[in-house]
Amino acid sequence: MAIVKDSGFEALEKLKSTEPPVFLAPSSKSEEARAASQHLFEKLKPYNPKSPFDELLVDGFDAEQIWQQIDMQSQPLLSSLRQEVNRFAKNPEEIRKLGNLTLKVSQKDDVDEMDMDGSESGDDELEANESEGEEEEDEEDEDEDGDEDEEEKNGDNEGIEDEFFKIKELEEFLEDGEAEEYGIDYKNKKGVAKKKKQNLRDDDDEEDDEEDEDDEFGAFAGGDDEEADKLGKAKYTDFFGGKKKETKVKWKDLSEDEAEFENDQGDVKLSTHEKERVKLQSKIEQMEKANLDPKHWTMQGEITAAKRPKNSALEVDLDFEHNARPAPVITEEVTASLEDLIKSRIIEARFDDVQRAPSMPTKAKREAKEMDESKSKKGLAEVYEDEYVRTANPAFAPTTFSDELKKEASMLFKNLCLKLDALSHFHFTPKPVIEEMSIQTNVPAIAMEEVAPVAVSDATMLAPEEIFSGKGDIKDESELTQEERKRRRAKKKRKFKAESAKEPVKKARDATTVAGSEGL
Amino acid sequence: MAESTQMEVETATQTAPLPAKPTFKPLKAHEMSDGKVQFRKISVPPNRYSPLKKAWLDIYTPIYDQMKVDIRMNLKGRKVELKTRADTPDISNLQKSADFVHAFMLGFDIPDAISLLRMDELYVESFEIKDVKTLKGEHLSRAIGRLSGKGGKTRFAIENSTKTRIVIADSRIHILGAFTNIKVARSSLCSLIMGSPAGKVYSKLRNVSARLNE
């Protein structure tokens, strides 16, 4: 065991001494690293009863597997340690007890180791933290560091408190300093004081732990722990509180200066001014952040549909010009007004009817020459001859078919007109001039010679004497005596007999001829 | 000033008088080709042989009497021969007579062909249906039928409206008439060959002929 431990310790030493860049490349340090991790694993084993491994198996295992083993050990260890820390935070007196215990425990093991551990705790811590930043084989180291830190914390009181340095003295000193600076007896340290302590560095962890119970800034306590872990990454910010922190510090300095006179609260809460300041600051931060972020799509100027989220235009109240008048809203008043208008118009009879536009006066349609589908009777020469004659000498031109038709039509119409005039009135109407010469019979000479009525009644046709000669004594029927009536009847009979005598003779003659012929 | 002008006039009259412009009588047909006689020979197709025999006198009389051109029929060679006489007034008479006889040979009637003798501006144009559109067999027959129409009415309609005479001989078409009229008749015939219905052709004809006859 001792040999192993020694080898493990030596390995640690070697690792410590190597330059950091060596770790970046695969090198022979793997053996040493394995030995070192084994060593550390064994060290931590007593504190972790649940660990399934007795020792770290490194032969033939690759980094991932080794890491897993370490992880398995360290996970429950971490949680238990956290609990312990919380416990100590509540009950600081127990730390002393624990310190003694650990001292005893360590004494049981290897005093040298513990001393060395203790002396080199700081160095180890630093270097361990430094090597944390390296990637390859130092996953184990990280855990080692974690383990170391926790180990340290438990035993750190013992380690730190030497003849030169006492924690309590440190505390008192710090308190005095603060009191001087602020003129107030500080029992409860504020964040600024803490920051100052942090600036002093290294072993503030315990004090912070101790003050955890009074600590209003639990965050800072956590932060302190983290910072202690990250000593390897010590930066300007760690030492000088960072720019933000500084400003905060400054603000708080000022505020505390101002708040000196107001300090009745005695609690960690900010004064109203500080609160305003904080609010303003947050607002400013917000606005700055908003300025840095990309603008909302509505503020970006010309946007296409692809550049804005889907359906986003519906959510925004867009404003653009409508060139068309919006449709009129139909209300009762509108309809009432319309109806009144209609009624008044009807009463006035002022209908704005659309007038049919007068059509243009068209030219008279040309005489549509009828398409003659029969063989033309004239030869071509005659056709041209007729055409020529028509153009040259219209008088002698023979009438065309259309002309004859026209003539016939006109004749018919004239006759019709004549008859109609005659029917419509027996008054004098002048005789229409007809060019034709025709023999008129039964027209008295008076009609020919004079312009006389066309239709003449029977009364005028014959002379009175022609109608009745009027010989002898004319008597009306009622005036006749009986004898005269008998005489008239006898006369009638004689006439009738005479006429009938002629006819039978004729009939007889006809009959005889017929009979005669038949006989033959 | 006035004297100078008078002087000029006097000087002009004093110059020697130019000879009188010669006047020539128009050449007779006989004299035109240095006293030689001119001939025209028109061959007779076999289908026109008997119509020629029937209408021989109608052909002979106007040519011999009015055109003053000698005409005879060469039976052996199946040709009609024309010859200028001494008293043929104009050389164009011979040509006109030749055209007249040729028109008769194509198939035109005598009264129609006589118009060639009487008018100068009449021409005969011939073309074939295949010049317009390549048609074979039934299509050709149908096209010819379309051209003539039922009882020839389409053809007569074109003839009457355009003042032309048309002869359709199988796939050959001859048109006799004035130049513009021939064009109209030809276009309507072509549209008929291409396949347009008769009614369409009639309507077009009506429009065009109305314009022609103005």
Side-chain angles (χ1 to χ4, degrees):
Chain A
M1 268 300 261
I3 298 165
V4 171
K5 281 179 192 170
D6 283 340
S7 67
F9 198 70
E10 278 169 18
L12 263 176
E13 284 273 301
K14 281 185 189 170
L15 281 175
K16 189 176 71 180
S17 63
T18 55
E19 294 292 311
V22 177
F23 286 113
L24 287 170
S27 62
S28 58
K29 293 291 170 188
S30 62
E31 284 296 324
E32 289 169 6
R34 282 168 204 249
S37 7
Q38 267 186 319
H39 170 68
L40 288 166
F41 194 88
E42 277 177 36
K43 283 284 151 195
L44 286 170
K45 202 180 82 66
Y47 300 102
N48 193 1
K50 291 182 197 171
S51 166
F53 302 106
D54 286 335
E55 63 168 6
L56 189 67
L57 306 163
V58 294
D59 296 330
F61 289 93
D62 66 344
E64 194 59 40
Q65 287 162 331
I66 293 165
W67 165 250
Q68 281 292 330
Q69 289 173 44
I70 292 164
D71 203 23
M72 282 182 78
Q73 190 204 43
S74 61
Q75 283 292 349
L77 195 64
L78 276 170
S79 55
S80 66
L81 281 171
R82 221 172 270 131
Q83 284 172 0
E84 291 284 306
V85 163
N86 287 334
R87 198 157 59 79
F88 291 138
K90 289 168 191 169
N91 311 320
E93 293 84 28
E94 286 187 20
I95 293 168
R96 295 216 175 272
K97 289 180 198 171
L98 191 62
N100 295 330
L101 277 168
T102 51
L103 190 62
K104 285 173 192 171
V105 167
S106 66
Q107 279 172 354
K108 280 176 195 172
D109 288 339
D110 206 339
V111 181
D112 294 343
E113 202 185 345
M114 279 310 294
D115 283 343
M116 289 168 90
D117 268 355
S119 61
E120 295 171 9
S121 63
D123 298 332
D124 274 339
E125 219 184 314
L126 265 170
E127 264 146 346
N129 285 335
E130 279 171 6
S131 60
E132 253 190 33
E134 295 160 4
E135 292 176 353
E136 281 184 15
E137 296 147 21
D138 298 327
E139 295 158 0
E140 310 134 21
D141 289 341
E142 273 182 52
D143 226 60
E144 292 164 26
D145 296 335
D147 295 340
E148 276 184 333
D149 281 347
E150 276 133 27
E151 197 184 345
E152 252 186 312
K153 276 180 187 163
N154 290 330
D156 240 0
N157 287 333
E158 195 60 30
I160 289 163
E161 284 187 358
D162 278 341
E163 56 256 18
F164 300 112
F165 181 66
K166 305 263 186 240
I167 288 165
K168 273 209 167 178
E169 281 177 20
L170 177 62
E171 280 176 55
E172 285 166 20
F173 171 75
L174 287 169
E175 280 182 24
D176 292 338
E178 281 165 19
E180 274 180 26
E181 197 163 338
Y182 300 115
I184 299 161
D185 203 9
Y186 269 60
K187 283 193 179 175
N188 303 323
K189 270 109 192 166
K190 295 209 174 175
V192 181
K194 275 205 176 169
K195 291 301 165 196
K196 289 210 165 182
K197 280 189 225 161
Q198 279 188 345
N199 291 344
L200 294 174
R201 207 63 225 125
D202 270 339
D203 305 309
D204 294 338
D205 299 344
E206 294 77 23
E207 284 137 11
D208 291 337
D209 289 340
E210 280 180 313
E211 290 160 359
D212 275 353
E213 54 182 323
D214 305 328
D215 191 17
E216 290 110 22
F217 295 94
F220 284 127
D224 292 344
D225 288 340
E226 288 167 27
E227 281 170 20
D229 293 343
K230 292 173 189 173
L231 274 177
K233 299 181 194 170
K235 292 179 183 173
Y236 172 87
T237 52
D238 295 332
F239 289 102
F240 298 105
K243 290 169 191 172
K244 274 193 183 177
K245 289 173 193 175
E246 266 204 349
T247 52
K248 278 186 190 170
V249 166
K250 281 183 189 170
W251 277 119
K252 269 159 201 159
D253 288 341
L254 292 169
S255 67
E256 278 174 321
D257 283 333
E258 290 167 28
E260 278 176 13
F261 310 103
E262 296 179 346
N263 191 27
D264 298 328
Q265 294 155 0
D267 54 1
V268 195
K269 283 193 182 160
L270 293 170
S271 64
T272 48
H273 189 268
E274 278 180 4
K275 281 184 194 165
E276 282 172 33
R277 288 282 186 206
V278 168
K279 275 186 196 167
L280 256 180
Q281 200 65 35
S282 63
K283 268 191 194 169
I284 289 166
E285 272 181 39
Q286 247 184 356
M287 287 166 76
E288 281 177 354
K289 195 188 167 205
N291 277 346
L292 287 172
D293 287 337
K295 290 186 191 175
H296 192 240
W297 68 267
T298 49
M299 290 295 166
Q300 274 181 22
E302 259 190 53
I303 291 289
T304 57
K307 287 180 189 164
R308 57 179 169 79
K310 201 173 174 185
N311 290 338
S312 55
L314 292 170
E315 291 142 21
V316 176
D317 194 16
L318 295 173
D319 178 30
F320 48 87
E321 284 182 20
H322 299 265
N323 283 332
R325 222 184 305 144
V329 177
I330 304 294
T331 57
E332 280 188 40
E333 297 157 0
V334 170
T335 43
S337 66
L338 276 173
E339 282 170 6
D340 289 337
L341 178 69
I342 291 163
K343 283 177 197 167
S344 62
R345 281 295 188 91
I346 291 166
I347 289 161
E348 288 172 36
R350 187 160 72 95
F351 313 111
D352 292 335
D353 287 337
V354 177
Q355 305 276 334
R356 192 175 200 83
S359 58
M360 292 287 288
T362 52
K363 272 194 277 183
K365 198 181 173 188
R366 280 185 237 150
E367 264 183 39
K369 198 173 181 184
E370 229 180 77
M371 189 81 72
D372 190 14
E373 285 182 345
S374 59
K375 189 178 172 85
S376 69
K377 286 134 199 157
K378 300 182 200 170
L380 193 65
E382 280 144 29
V383 168
Y384 278 109
E385 192 187 319
D386 293 338
E387 207 185 301
Y388 173 74
V389 166
R390 203 178 299 124
T391 50
N393 219 341
F396 293 113
T399 56
T400 56
F401 182 65
S402 60
D403 291 340
E404 282 164 17
L405 281 171
K406 275 186 203 169
K407 265 195 179 172
E408 194 183 336
S410 61
M411 275 297 300
L412 286 168
F413 186 66
K414 275 178 186 172
N415 283 330
L416 184 64
C417 282
L418 200 69
K419 285 176 188 170
L420 286 170
D421 289 337
L423 281 170
S424 60
H425 37 68
F426 283 106
H427 303 291
F428 159 69
T429 44
K431 192 179 166 185
V433 177
I434 302 166
E435 288 168 6
E436 63 182 345
M437 292 274 284
S438 59
I439 303 162
Q440 267 183 323
T441 54
N442 285 333
V443 175
I446 205 166
M448 287 287 280
E449 287 160 5
E450 288 176 18
V451 177
V454 170
V456 185
S457 59
D458 278 334
T460 58
M461 275 280 244
L462 299 164
E465 290 79 28
E466 293 167 15
I467 298 167
F468 182 68
S469 51
K471 285 177 194 170
D473 198 14
I474 300 158
K475 270 186 180 177
D476 194 29
E477 264 191 49
S478 57
E479 294 169 8
L480 287 171
T481 58
Q482 190 97 25
E483 287 172 350
E484 283 184 349
R485 282 202 191 111
K486 279 186 183 176
R487 234 178 271 148
R488 283 199 183 189
R489 187 173 161 74
K491 198 181 173 183
K492 259 194 196 172
K493 267 185 151 180
R494 262 180 266 141
K495 245 192 182 174
F496 184 71
K497 271 184 182 174
E499 281 178 23
S500 61
K502 282 182 196 173
E503 286 182 23
V505 169
K506 282 186 193 171
K507 282 181 184 174
R509 235 188 281 147
D510 290 336
T512 50
T513 52
V514 168
S517 65
E518 280 179 5
L520 284 166
Chain B
M1 286 283 275
E3 287 176 345
S4 64
T5 51
Q6 278 179 354
M7 283 287 288
E8 282 174 9
V9 167
E10 282 169 24
T11 50
T13 49
Q14 276 169 8
T15 53
L18 287 163
K21 193 175 174 187
T23 52
F24 296 112
K25 283 181 193 170
L27 272 175
K28 283 189 188 165
H30 208 68
E31 293 158 2
M32 206 174 253
S33 49
D34 302 328
K36 283 186 196 166
V37 175
Q38 288 204 21
F39 292 96
R40 292 279 188 277
K41 287 178 186 153
I42 299 119
S43 60
V44 184
N47 60 324
R48 292 306 277 170
Y49 200 65
S50 46
L52 177 66
K53 274 203 255 181
K54 280 183 202 165
W56 174 250
L57 222 57
D58 294 325
I59 295 167
Y60 178 86
T61 323
I63 288 174
Y64 193 83
D65 295 333
Q66 286 152 20
M67 291 284 121
K68 301 211 185 354
V69 168
D70 276 342
I71 177 168
R72 76 167 183 194
M73 175 74 190
N74 186 348
L75 288 161
K76 196 179 172 190
R78 302 287 175 101
K79 285 191 191 186
V80 174
E81 289 167 8
L82 299 161
K83 185 173 82 104
T84 54
R85 281 204 318 249
D87 56 343
T88 314
D90 196 11
I91 191 66
S92 61
N93 284 10
L94 180 65
Q95 189 55 48
K96 276 189 197 174
S97 318
D99 287 337
F100 162 63
V101 176
H102 182 65
F104 178 80
M105 296 310 159
L106 288 176
F108 290 102
D109 290 335
I110 297 290
D112 303 329
I114 289 252
S115 61
L116 277 169
L117 286 178
R118 294 175 70 174
M119 286 179 72
D120 282 338
E121 301 89 28
L122 300 182
Y123 303 95
V124 178
E125 188 179 320
S126 319
F127 65 95
E128 290 199 43
I129 289 176
K130 71 180 183 198
D131 295 343
V132 181
K133 189 174 184 184
T134 320
L135 297 165
K136 290 175 201 170
E138 266 190 37
H139 303 295
L140 182 63
S141 321
R142 262 189 258 119
I144 295 168
R146 244 194 335 271
L147 283 171
S148 324
K150 204 172 204 175
K153 63 176 188 167
T154 317
R155 200 192 89 190
F156 292 137
I158 298 171
E159 280 185 0
N160 292 329
S161 51
T162 58
K163 287 208 274 280
T164 54
R165 292 291 175 262
I166 299 170
V167 166
I168 302 174
D170 282 341
S171 44
R172 281 181 185 276
I173 299 165
H174 311 284
I175 309 172
L176 166 72
F179 179 68
T180 46
N181 298 358
I182 284 174
K183 260 202 336 188
V184 174
R186 188 181 63 219
S187 69
S188 37
L189 285 168
C190 287
S191 57
L192 279 167
I193 292 166
M194 293 299 279
S196 64
K200 212 176 201 178
V201 173
Y202 280 12
S203 56
K204 273 193 190 172
L205 262 180
R206 242 181 250 121
N207 294 336
V208 179
S209 59
R211 251 184 282 135
L212 266 181
N213 295 336
E214 276 174 10

